[in-house]
Coordinates of all heavy atoms in Angstrom, one line a residue:
M1267 N 69.7 -51.5 30.8 CA 69.4 -51.1 29.4 C 68.5 -49.9 29.5 O 67.5 -49.9 30.2 CB 68.7 -52.2 28.7 CG 68.3 -51.9 27.3 SD 67.5 -53.3 26.5 CE 68.9 -54.2 25.9
N1268 N 68.9 -48.8 28.8 CA 68.0 -47.6 28.7 C 67.2 -47.7 27.5 O 67.3 -48.6 26.6 CB 68.9 -46.3 28.8 CG 69.9 -46.2 27.7 OD1 69.6 -46.7 26.6 ND2 71.0 -45.5 28.0
K1269 N 66.4 -46.6 27.3 CA 65.4 -46.6 26.1 C 66.2 -46.7 24.8 O 65.8 -47.4 23.9 CB 64.5 -45.4 26.2 CG 63.4 -45.4 25.2 CD 62.4 -44.3 25.4 CE 61.4 -44.3 24.3 NZ 60.4 -43.2 24.5
S1270 N 67.3 -45.9 24.7 CA 68.0 -45.9 23.4 C 68.6 -47.3 23.1 O 68.5 -47.7 21.9 CB 69.2 -44.9 23.6 OG 70.0 -44.9 22.4
E1271 N 69.1 -47.9 24.1 CA 69.7 -49.3 23.9 C 68.6 -50.3 23.5 O 68.7 -51.2 22.7 CB 70.4 -49.8 25.1 CG 71.7 -49.0 25.4 CD 72.3 -49.2 26.8 OE1 71.5 -49.7 27.7 OE2 73.4 -48.9 27.0
L1272 N 67.4 -50.1 24.2 CA 66.3 -51.0 23.8 C 65.8 -50.7 22.4 O 65.5 -51.7 21.7 CB 65.1 -50.7 24.8 CG 63.8 -51.4 24.6 CD1 64.1 -52.9 24.7 CD2 62.8 -51.0 25.6
L1273 N 65.8 -49.5 22.0 CA 65.4 -49.2 20.6 C 66.4 -49.8 19.6 O 65.9 -50.3 18.6 CB 65.3 -47.7 20.4 CG 64.1 -47.0 21.0 CD1 64.2 -45.5 20.9 CD2 62.8 -47.5 20.3
N1274 N 67.6 -49.7 19.9 CA 68.7 -50.3 19.0 C 68.4 -51.9 18.9 O 68.5 -52.4 17.8 CB 70.1 -50.1 19.5 CG 70.5 -48.6 19.3 OD1 70.0 -47.9 18.4 ND2 71.4 -48.1 20.1
S1275 N 68.2 -52.5 20.0 CA 67.9 -53.9 20.1 C 66.7 -54.3 19.3 O 66.7 -55.3 18.5 CB 67.8 -54.4 21.5 OG 67.6 -55.8 21.5
I1276 N 65.6 -53.6 19.5 CA 64.4 -53.8 18.7 C 64.6 -53.7 17.3 O 64.1 -54.5 16.4 CB 63.2 -52.9 19.2 CG1 62.8 -53.2 20.7 CG2 62.0 -52.9 18.3 CD1 61.9 -52.2 21.3
S1277 N 65.3 -52.6 16.9 CA 65.6 -52.4 15.5 C 66.4 -53.5 14.8 O 66.0 -53.9 13.7 CB 66.3 -51.0 15.3 OG 66.6 -50.8 14.0
E1278 N 67.4 -54.0 15.5 CA 68.2 -55.1 15.0 C 67.4 -56.4 14.9 O 67.5 -57.1 13.9 CB 69.4 -55.3 15.9 CG 70.5 -54.2 15.9 CD 71.5 -54.4 16.9 OE1 71.6 -55.5 17.5 OE2 72.3 -53.5 17.1
K1279 N 66.6 -56.7 15.9 CA 65.9 -58.0 15.9 C 64.7 -58.0 15.0 O 64.3 -59.1 14.5 CB 65.5 -58.3 17.3 CG 66.6 -58.7 18.2 CD 66.2 -59.0 19.6 CE 67.5 -59.3 20.4 NZ 67.2 -60.0 21.7
S1280 N 64.1 -56.8 14.8 CA 62.9 -56.8 13.9 C 63.2 -56.4 12.5 O 62.3 -56.6 11.6 CB 61.9 -55.8 14.5 OG 62.4 -54.5 14.4
G1281 N 64.3 -55.8 12.2 CA 64.6 -55.4 10.9 C 64.0 -54.0 10.5 O 64.0 -53.6 9.4
L1282 N 63.3 -53.4 11.6 CA 62.7 -52.1 11.4 C 63.8 -51.0 11.5 O 64.8 -51.2 12.1 CB 61.7 -51.8 12.4 CG 60.4 -52.7 12.4 CD1 59.6 -52.5 13.6 CD2 59.6 -52.5 11.1
K1283 N 63.5 -49.8 10.9 CA 64.4 -48.7 11.1 C 64.2 -48.2 12.5 O 63.2 -48.4 13.1 CB 64.0 -47.6 10.1 CG 64.3 -48.0 8.7 CD 63.8 -46.8 7.7 CE 64.1 -47.3 6.3 NZ 63.6 -46.2 5.4
K1284 N 65.2 -47.5 13.0 CA 65.1 -47.0 14.4 C 63.9 -46.1 14.6 O 63.3 -46.1 15.7 CB 66.4 -46.3 14.8 CG 67.6 -47.2 15.0 CD 68.8 -46.5 15.4 CE 70.0 -47.4 15.5 NZ 71.2 -46.7 15.9
V1285 N 63.6 -45.3 13.6 CA 62.4 -44.4 13.8 C 61.2 -45.2 13.9 O 60.3 -44.9 14.7 CB 62.4 -43.4 12.5 CG1 61.1 -42.6 12.5 CG2 63.6 -42.5 12.5
E1286 N 61.0 -46.3 13.1 CA 59.9 -47.1 13.2 C 59.8 -47.8 14.5 O 58.7 -48.0 15.1 CB 59.9 -48.1 12.0 CG 59.7 -47.5 10.7 CD 60.0 -48.4 9.5 OE1 60.8 -49.4 9.7 OE2 59.5 -48.2 8.4
S1287 N 61.0 -48.3 15.0 CA 61.0 -49.0 16.3 C 60.6 -48.1 17.4 O 59.9 -48.5 18.3 CB 62.4 -49.5 16.5 OG 62.8 -50.5 15.6
E1288 N 61.0 -46.8 17.3 CA 60.7 -45.8 18.4 C 59.2 -45.6 18.3 O 58.5 -45.5 19.4 CB 61.4 -44.5 18.2 CG 61.2 -43.5 19.3 CD 62.0 -42.3 19.2 OE1 62.7 -42.0 18.1 OE2 62.1 -41.6 20.2
K1289 N 58.6 -45.5 17.2 CA 57.1 -45.3 17.1 C 56.4 -46.4 17.7 O 55.4 -46.3 18.4 CB 56.7 -45.1 15.6 CG 57.0 -43.7 15.0 CD 56.5 -43.6 13.6 CE 56.9 -42.3 13.0 NZ 56.5 -42.2 11.6
A1290 N 56.8 -47.6 17.4 CA 56.2 -48.9 17.9 C 56.3 -48.9 19.4 O 55.3 -49.2 20.1 CB 56.8 -50.1 17.2
L1291 N 57.5 -48.7 19.9 CA 57.7 -48.7 21.4 C 56.9 -47.6 22.1 O 56.2 -47.9 23.1 CB 59.2 -48.5 21.7 CG 59.5 -48.6 23.2 CD1 59.1 -49.9 23.9 CD2 61.0 -48.3 23.4
N1292 N 56.9 -46.4 21.5 CA 56.1 -45.3 22.1 C 54.6 -45.7 22.1 O 53.9 -45.4 23.1 CB 56.4 -44.0 21.5 CG 57.7 -43.5 21.8 OD1 58.3 -43.8 22.8 ND2 58.3 -42.6 21.0
A1293 N 54.1 -46.3 21.0 CA 52.7 -46.6 20.9 C 52.4 -47.7 22.0 O 51.3 -47.6 22.6 CB 52.4 -47.2 19.5
F1294 N 53.3 -48.7 22.2 CA 53.0 -49.7 23.2 C 53.0 -49.1 24.6 O 52.0 -49.4 25.3 CB 54.2 -50.7 23.1 CG 54.1 -51.7 24.3 CD1 53.2 -52.7 24.3 CD2 55.0 -51.6 25.3 CE1 53.2 -53.6 25.4 CE2 55.0 -52.5 26.4 CZ 54.1 -53.5 26.4
L1295 N 53.9 -48.2 24.9 CA 53.9 -47.6 26.2 C 52.7 -46.7 26.5 O 52.1 -46.8 27.5 CB 55.2 -46.7 26.4 CG 56.5 -47.5 26.3 CD1 57.7 -46.6 26.4 CD2 56.6 -48.5 27.5
E1296 N 52.3 -46.0 25.4 CA 51.1 -45.1 25.6 C 49.8 -46.0 25.8 O 49.0 -45.6 26.6 CB 50.9 -44.2 24.3 CG 51.9 -43.1 24.3 CD 51.8 -42.3 23.0 OE1 50.7 -42.3 22.3 OE2 52.8 -41.7 22.6
T1297 N 49.8 -47.1 25.0 CA 48.6 -48.0 25.1 C 48.5 -48.6 26.5 O 47.4 -48.7 27.1 CB 48.7 -49.1 24.0 OG1 48.8 -48.4 22.8 CG2 47.5 -50.0 24.1
V1298 N 49.6 -49.0 27.0 CA 49.6 -49.6 28.4 C 49.2 -48.6 29.4 O 48.4 -48.8 30.3 CB 51.0 -50.2 28.7 CG1 51.1 -50.6 30.2 CG2 51.3 -51.4 27.8
Q1299 N 49.8 -47.4 29.3 CA 49.5 -46.3 30.2 C 48.0 -45.9 30.2 O 47.3 -45.8 31.2 CB 50.3 -45.1 29.9 CG 50.0 -43.9 30.9 CD 50.9 -42.7 30.6 OE1 52.0 -42.8 30.0 NE2 50.5 -41.5 31.0
E1300 N 47.4 -45.8 29.0 CA 46.0 -45.5 28.9 C 45.1 -46.6 29.5 O 44.1 -46.3 30.2 CB 45.6 -45.3 27.4 CG 46.2 -44.1 26.8 CD 46.1 -44.0 25.3 OE1 45.5 -45.0 24.7 OE2 46.6 -43.0 24.7
A1301 N 45.5 -47.8 29.3 CA 44.7 -49.0 29.8 C 44.8 -48.9 31.4 O 43.7 -49.1 32.0 CB 45.3 -50.3 29.3
L1302 N 46.0 -48.7 31.9 CA 46.1 -48.6 33.4 C 45.3 -47.4 34.0 O 44.7 -47.5 35.0 CB 47.6 -48.5 33.8 CG 48.4 -49.8 33.5 CD1 49.8 -49.6 33.9 CD2 47.8 -51.0 34.1
V1303 N 45.3 -46.3 33.3 CA 44.6 -45.1 33.8 C 43.1 -45.4 33.8 O 42.4 -45.0 34.7 CB 44.9 -43.9 32.9 CG1 43.9 -42.8 33.1 CG2 46.3 -43.4 33.1
K1304 N 42.6 -46.2 32.8 CA 41.2 -46.6 32.8 C 40.9 -47.7 33.8 O 39.7 -48.0 34.1 CB 40.8 -47.1 31.4 CG 40.7 -46.0 30.4 CD 40.0 -46.6 29.1 CE 41.0 -47.3 28.3 NZ 40.4 -47.7 27.0
G1305 N 41.9 -48.3 34.4 CA 41.7 -49.4 35.4 C 41.7 -50.7 34.8 O 41.4 -51.7 35.5
D1306 N 42.1 -50.9 33.6 CA 42.2 -52.2 32.9 C 43.5 -52.8 33.2 O 44.5 -52.2 33.6 CB 42.1 -52.0 31.4 CG 40.7 -51.5 31.0 OD1 39.7 -51.6 31.8 OD2 40.6 -51.0 29.9
K1307 N 43.6 -54.2 33.0 CA 44.8 -54.9 33.1 C 45.3 -55.1 31.7 O 44.6 -55.2 30.7 CB 44.6 -56.3 33.6 CG 44.4 -56.5 35.1 CD 44.3 -58.0 35.4 CE 44.0 -58.2 36.9 NZ 43.9 -59.7 37.1
V1308 N 46.7 -55.2 31.6 CA 47.3 -55.6 30.3 C 48.0 -56.9 30.5 O 49.0 -56.9 31.2 CB 48.2 -54.5 29.8 CG1 48.9 -54.9 28.5 CG2 47.5 -53.2 29.6
Q1309 N 47.5 -58.0 29.9 CA 48.1 -59.3 30.1 C 48.8 -59.7 28.8 O 48.2 -59.8 27.8 CB 47.0 -60.3 30.5 CG 46.4 -60.1 31.8 CD 45.4 -61.1 32.1 OE1 44.4 -61.3 31.4 NE2 45.5 -61.8 33.3
L1310 N 50.1 -60.0 28.9 CA 50.9 -60.6 27.8 C 51.3 -62.0 28.2 O 52.2 -62.1 29.0 CB 52.1 -59.7 27.6 CG 51.8 -58.2 27.3 CD1 53.1 -57.4 27.3 CD2 51.0 -58.0 26.0
V1311 N 50.6 -63.0 27.7 CA 50.7 -64.3 28.1 C 52.2 -64.7 27.9 O 52.8 -64.5 26.9 CB 49.8 -65.3 27.3 CG1 50.1 -66.7 27.6 CG2 48.4 -64.9 27.5
G1312 N 52.8 -65.3 29.0 CA 54.2 -65.7 29.0 C 55.1 -64.6 29.5 O 56.2 -64.9 29.9
F1313 N 54.7 -63.4 29.3 CA 55.6 -62.3 29.7 C 55.2 -61.7 31.0 O 56.0 -61.7 31.9 CB 55.6 -61.2 28.6 CG 56.5 -60.0 28.9 CD1 57.9 -60.2 28.8 CD2 56.1 -58.8 29.4 CE1 58.8 -59.2 29.1 CE2 56.9 -57.8 29.7 CZ 58.3 -58.0 29.5
G1314 N 53.9 -61.3 31.2 CA 53.5 -60.8 32.5 C 52.3 -59.9 32.4 O 51.7 -59.8 31.3
T1315 N 51.9 -59.3 33.5 CA 50.7 -58.5 33.6 C 51.0 -57.2 34.2 O 51.6 -57.1 35.2 CB 49.6 -59.3 34.4 OG1 49.4 -60.6 33.9 CG2 48.3 -58.5 34.5
F1316 N 50.5 -56.1 33.6 CA 50.5 -54.8 34.1 C 49.2 -54.5 34.7 O 48.2 -54.8 34.1 CB 50.8 -53.8 33.0 CG 52.2 -53.9 32.4 CD1 52.3 -54.7 31.2 CD2 53.3 -53.3 32.9 CE1 53.5 -54.8 30.6 CE2 54.5 -53.4 32.2 CZ 54.6 -54.2 31.1
E1317 N 49.1 -54.0 35.9 CA 47.8 -53.6 36.5 C 48.0 -52.5 37.6 O 49.2 -52.2 37.9 CB 47.2 -54.8 37.2 CG 47.9 -55.5 38.3 CD 47.2 -56.7 38.9 OE1 46.0 -56.7 38.9 OE2 47.9 -57.6 39.3
V1318 N 46.9 -52.0 38.1 CA 46.9 -51.0 39.1 C 46.4 -51.6 40.4 O 45.3 -52.2 40.4 CB 46.1 -49.7 38.7 CG1 46.0 -48.7 39.8 CG2 46.7 -49.1 37.4
R1319 N 47.1 -51.3 41.5 CA 46.6 -51.8 42.8 C 46.4 -50.6 43.7 O 47.1 -49.6 43.7 CB 47.6 -52.7 43.4 CG 47.7 -54.1 42.7 CD 48.4 -55.1 43.5 NE 48.6 -56.3 42.7 CZ 49.6 -57.1 42.8 NH1 50.6 -56.8 43.6 NH2 49.7 -58.1 42.0
D1320 N 45.3 -50.7 44.5 CA 45.0 -49.6 45.5 C 45.9 -49.8 46.7 O 46.1 -50.9 47.2 CB 43.6 -49.7 45.9 CG 42.7 -49.3 44.7 OD1 43.0 -48.3 44.0 OD2 41.6 -49.8 44.6
R1321 N 46.4 -48.7 47.2 CA 47.2 -48.8 48.4 C 46.4 -48.0 49.5 O 45.9 -46.9 49.3 CB 48.6 -48.1 48.3 CG 49.4 -48.8 47.2 CD 50.8 -48.2 47.1 NE 51.6 -48.5 48.2 CZ 52.7 -48.0 48.5 NH1 53.3 -47.1 47.7 NH2 53.4 -48.3 49.6
K1322 N 46.2 -48.6 50.6 CA 45.5 -48.0 51.7 C 46.2 -46.9 52.4 O 47.4 -46.8 52.3 CB 45.2 -49.1 52.8 CG 44.3 -50.2 52.3 CD 44.1 -51.2 53.4 CE 43.2 -52.4 52.9 NZ 43.0 -53.4 54.0
A1323 N 45.4 -46.0 53.0 CA 46.1 -44.9 53.8 C 46.7 -45.5 55.0 O 46.3 -46.6 55.5 CB 45.0 -43.9 54.2
R1324 N 47.8 -45.0 55.4 CA 48.5 -45.5 56.6 C 49.4 -44.5 57.3 O 49.5 -43.4 56.8 CB 49.5 -46.7 56.1 CG 50.5 -46.2 55.1 CD 51.2 -47.4 54.4 NE 52.4 -47.0 53.7 CZ 52.4 -46.5 52.5 NH1 51.2 -46.2 51.9 NH2 53.5 -46.2 51.9
E1325 N 49.8 -44.8 58.4 CA 50.7 -43.9 59.2 C 52.2 -44.2 58.9 O 52.5 -45.4 58.7 CB 50.5 -44.1 60.7 CG 49.2 -43.5 61.2 CD 49.0 -43.6 62.7 OE1 49.9 -44.3 63.3 OE2 48.1 -43.1 63.2
G1326 N 53.0 -43.2 58.9 CA 54.4 -43.4 58.6 C 55.2 -42.5 59.6 O 54.6 -41.8 60.4
R1327 N 56.5 -42.5 59.4 CA 57.4 -41.7 60.2 C 58.1 -40.7 59.3 O 58.5 -41.1 58.2 CB 58.4 -42.5 61.0 CG 57.9 -43.5 61.9 CD 57.6 -42.8 63.2 NE 57.0 -43.8 64.2 CZ 56.5 -43.5 65.3 NH1 56.5 -42.2 65.7 NH2 56.0 -44.4 66.1
N1328 N 58.3 -39.5 59.8 CA 59.0 -38.5 59.1 C 60.5 -38.9 59.3 O 61.0 -38.9 60.4 CB 58.8 -37.1 59.7 CG 59.5 -36.0 59.0 OD1 60.4 -36.3 58.2 ND2 59.1 -34.8 59.2
P1329 N 61.2 -39.1 58.2 CA 62.6 -39.6 58.3 C 63.5 -38.5 58.9 O 64.5 -38.8 59.6 CB 63.1 -39.9 56.9 CG 62.0 -39.5 56.0 CD 60.8 -39.2 56.8
R1330 N 63.2 -37.2 58.8 CA 64.0 -36.2 59.4 C 63.7 -36.0 60.9 O 64.5 -35.6 61.7 CB 63.7 -34.8 58.7 CG 64.3 -34.8 57.3 CD 64.1 -33.5 56.7 NE 64.6 -33.5 55.3 CZ 64.3 -32.6 54.4 NH1 63.6 -31.6 54.7 NH2 64.8 -32.8 53.2
K1331 N 62.5 -36.4 61.3 CA 62.1 -36.3 62.7 C 61.4 -37.6 63.1 O 60.2 -37.7 63.0 CB 61.1 -35.2 63.0 CG 61.7 -33.8 62.7 CD 60.6 -32.7 62.9 CE 61.1 -31.4 62.4 NZ 60.1 -30.4 62.5
P1332 N 62.1 -38.7 63.4 CA 61.5 -40.0 63.6 C 60.4 -40.1 64.6 O 59.6 -41.0 64.6 CB 62.7 -40.9 64.1 CG 63.9 -40.2 63.6 CD 63.6 -38.7 63.6
E1333 N 60.4 -39.1 65.6 CA 59.3 -39.2 66.5 C 58.0 -38.6 66.0 O 56.9 -38.8 66.5 CB 59.7 -38.4 67.8 CG 59.8 -36.9 67.6 CD 61.2 -36.4 67.0 OE1 62.1 -37.3 66.8 OE2 61.3 -35.3 66.7
E1334 N 58.0 -37.9 64.8 CA 56.8 -37.3 64.2 C 56.1 -38.4 63.4 O 56.7 -39.0 62.4 CB 57.2 -36.1 63.3 CG 56.0 -35.4 62.7 CD 56.5 -34.3 61.8 OE1 57.6 -33.8 61.9 OE2 55.7 -33.9 61.0
V1335 N 54.8 -38.6 63.7 CA 54.0 -39.5 62.9 C 53.3 -38.7 61.8 O 52.7 -37.6 62.1 CB 53.0 -40.2 63.8 CG1 52.0 -41.1 63.0 CG2 53.7 -41.0 64.9
I1336 N 53.3 -39.2 60.6 CA 52.6 -38.5 59.5 C 51.6 -39.5 58.9 O 51.7 -40.7 58.9 CB 53.6 -38.0 58.4 CG1 54.4 -39.2 57.8 CG2 54.5 -36.9 59.0 CD1 55.3 -38.8 56.7
Q1337 N 50.6 -38.9 58.2 CA 49.5 -39.7 57.6 C 49.9 -39.8 56.1 O 50.2 -38.7 55.4 CB 48.2 -39.0 57.7 CG 47.6 -39.0 59.1 CD 47.4 -40.4 59.6 OE1 46.9 -41.3 58.9 NE2 47.8 -40.6 60.9
I1338 N 50.0 -41.0 55.6 CA 50.2 -41.2 54.2 C 48.9 -41.5 53.5 O 48.2 -42.5 53.9 CB 51.2 -42.4 54.0 CG1 52.5 -42.0 54.7 CG2 51.5 -42.6 52.5 CD1 53.5 -43.2 54.8
P1339 N 48.5 -40.7 52.6 CA 47.1 -40.9 52.0 C 47.1 -42.2 51.1 O 48.1 -42.7 50.6 CB 46.9 -39.6 51.1 CG 48.3 -39.1 50.8 CD 49.2 -39.6 52.0
A1340 N 45.9 -42.6 50.8 CA 45.6 -43.8 49.9 C 46.1 -43.3 48.5 O 46.0 -42.2 48.2 CB 44.2 -44.2 49.9
S1341 N 46.5 -44.3 47.8 CA 47.0 -44.0 46.4 C 46.8 -45.3 45.5 O 46.5 -46.3 46.0 CB 48.4 -43.6 46.4 OG 49.3 -44.6 46.8
K1342 N 47.1 -45.1 44.3 CA 47.1 -46.2 43.3 C 48.5 -46.4 42.8 O 49.2 -45.4 42.6 CB 46.1 -45.9 42.1 CG 44.7 -45.8 42.6 CD 43.8 -45.6 41.4 CE 42.4 -45.6 41.8 NZ 41.4 -45.5 40.7
A1343 N 48.9 -47.6 42.7 CA 50.3 -47.9 42.2 C 50.3 -48.9 41.1 O 49.6 -50.0 41.1 CB 51.1 -48.5 43.4
P1344 N 50.9 -48.5 40.0 CA 51.1 -49.5 38.9 C 52.0 -50.6 39.3 O 53.1 -50.3 39.9 CB 51.6 -48.6 37.7 CG 52.3 -47.5 38.4 CD 51.6 -47.3 39.7
V1345 N 51.7 -51.8 38.9 CA 52.6 -53.0 39.3 C 52.7 -53.9 38.0 O 51.8 -53.9 37.2 CB 52.0 -53.8 40.5 CG1 52.0 -53.0 41.7 CG2 50.6 -54.3 40.2
F1346 N 53.8 -54.6 38.0 CA 54.0 -55.6 37.0 C 54.3 -56.9 37.7 O 55.1 -57.0 38.6 CB 55.2 -55.2 36.1 CG 55.6 -56.3 35.1 CD1 54.9 -56.5 34.0 CD2 56.7 -57.1 35.4 CE1 55.2 -57.4 33.1 CE2 57.0 -58.1 34.5 CZ 56.3 -58.3 33.3
K1347 N 53.6 -58.0 37.2 CA 53.8 -59.3 37.7 C 54.3 -60.2 36.6 O 53.6 -60.3 35.6 CB 52.5 -59.9 38.3 CG 52.6 -61.3 38.8 CD 51.3 -61.8 39.4 CE 51.6 -63.2 39.9 NZ 50.3 -63.9 40.3
A1348 N 55.5 -60.7 36.7 CA 56.1 -61.5 35.7 C 55.4 -62.8 35.4 O 54.9 -63.4 36.4 CB 57.6 -61.8 36.0
G1349 N 55.3 -63.2 34.2 CA 54.6 -64.4 33.8 C 55.6 -65.6 34.0 O 56.8 -65.5 34.2
K1350 N 55.0 -66.8 33.9 CA 55.8 -68.0 34.1 C 57.0 -68.2 33.1 O 58.1 -68.5 33.6 CB 54.8 -69.2 33.9 CG 55.5 -70.6 34.2 CD 54.5 -71.7 34.0 CE 55.3 -73.0 34.2 NZ 54.4 -74.2 33.9
T1351 N 56.8 -67.9 31.9 CA 57.8 -68.1 30.9 C 59.0 -67.1 31.2 O 60.2 -67.5 31.1 CB 57.3 -67.8 29.5 OG1 56.2 -68.7 29.2 CG2 58.3 -68.1 28.4
L1352 N 58.7 -65.9 31.5 CA 59.7 -64.9 31.8 C 60.5 -65.3 33.1 O 61.7 -65.2 33.1 CB 59.1 -63.5 32.0 CG 60.0 -62.3 32.4 CD1 61.1 -62.2 31.3 CD2 59.2 -61.0 32.6
K1353 N 59.7 -65.7 34.1 CA 60.4 -66.2 35.4 C 61.4 -67.3 35.1 O 62.5 -67.3 35.6 CB 59.4 -66.6 36.4 CG 58.6 -65.5 37.0 CD 57.6 -66.1 38.0 CE 56.7 -65.0 38.6 NZ 55.7 -65.6 39.5
E1354 N 60.9 -68.3 34.3 CA 61.8 -69.4 34.0 C 63.0 -69.0 33.2 O 64.1 -69.5 33.4 CB 61.0 -70.5 33.2 CG 59.9 -71.2 34.0 CD 59.0 -72.1 33.2 OE1 59.1 -72.1 31.9 OE2 58.2 -72.8 33.8
A1355 N 62.9 -68.1 32.2 CA 64.0 -67.6 31.4 C 65.0 -66.9 32.3 O 66.2 -67.0 32.1 CB 63.5 -66.6 30.3
V1356 N 64.6 -66.1 33.3 CA 65.4 -65.3 34.1 C 66.2 -66.3 35.1 O 67.3 -66.1 35.4 CB 64.7 -64.3 34.9 CG1 65.5 -63.6 36.0 CG2 64.1 -63.2 34.0
N1357 N 65.5 -67.3 35.5 CA 66.1 -68.3 36.5 C 67.0 -69.4 35.9 O 67.4 -70.2 36.7 CB 65.0 -68.9 37.4 CG 64.4 -67.9 38.4 OD1 65.2 -67.2 39.0 ND2 63.1 -67.8 38.4
K1358 N 67.2 -69.4 34.6 CA 68.1 -70.4 34.0 C 69.5 -70.1 34.3 O 70.0 -69.1 34.5 CB 67.9 -70.4 32.5 CG 66.6 -71.2 32.1 CD 66.6 -71.4 30.6 CE 65.3 -72.1 30.2 NZ 65.2 -72.3 28.8

C-alpha cells in the first residue's frame, strides 16, 4: 500500500475528504518525526512504539573489495516495535 492508497482508505473509513485525510496524515507523520528528532518515544497503545536507537561504530567490508576493511561510524536509527494487539491481528 502506498501513500495514495492509504489516503483513500483513511478517507473512506473516516468520512473525511481526501484533502482533509492528507492533512491529518501529514500532521501525524510530521509530529512523529519531530518527536524522534528530539529523542522522544511515540507510543500508541495496542499499535506500537516509534523510537530512536543508537548504533555503535563498527568495522565492515567493502562489497566491491571484500578484503578491504572499512569503518562504519556510529549513527541513530529510527525503529518501530509492534504492539501486542497489532501482532495478534497480523498472526490470525
Side-chain angles (χ1 to χ4, degrees):
M1267 176 179 280
N1268 62 29
K1269 187 174 180 180
S1270 176
E1271 294 167 339
L1272 179 60
L1273 287 171
N1274 287 336
S1275 181
I1276 291 171
S1277 180
E1278 289 173 12
K1279 291 182 181 191
S1280 68
L1282 297 173
K1283 295 179 182 178
K1284 288 183 184 177
V1285 173
E1286 295 168 334
S1287 297
E1288 185 173 15
K1289 285 181 184 178
L1291 179 60
N1292 288 338
F1294 171 76
L1295 296 175
E1296 287 175 24
T1297 303
V1298 170
Q1299 181 177 337
E1300 290 169 359
L1302 295 177
V1303 167
K1304 286 192 277 184
D1306 296 338
K1307 279 186 187 179
V1308 178
Q1309 292 180 307
L1310 303 172
V1311 176
F1313 184 72
T1315 303
F1316 297 91
E1317 64 182 324
V1318 176
R1319 291 195 185 144
D1320 292 322
R1321 298 182 74 187
K1322 295 178 182 179
R1324 61 194 191 281
E1325 289 184 350
R1327 298 277 180 187
N1328 182 344
R1330 292 187 182 162
K1331 299 177 187 175
E1333 67 279 353
E1334 182 183 343
V1335 176
I1336 57 174
Q1337 293 297 320
I1338 301 170
S1341 64
K1342 294 182 179 185
V1345 295
F1346 174 76
K1347 181 179 178 188
K1350 181 180 177 185
T1351 306
L1352 179 59
K1353 286 180 188 177
E1354 289 172 353
V1356 170
N1357 287 314
K1358 281 188 179 180

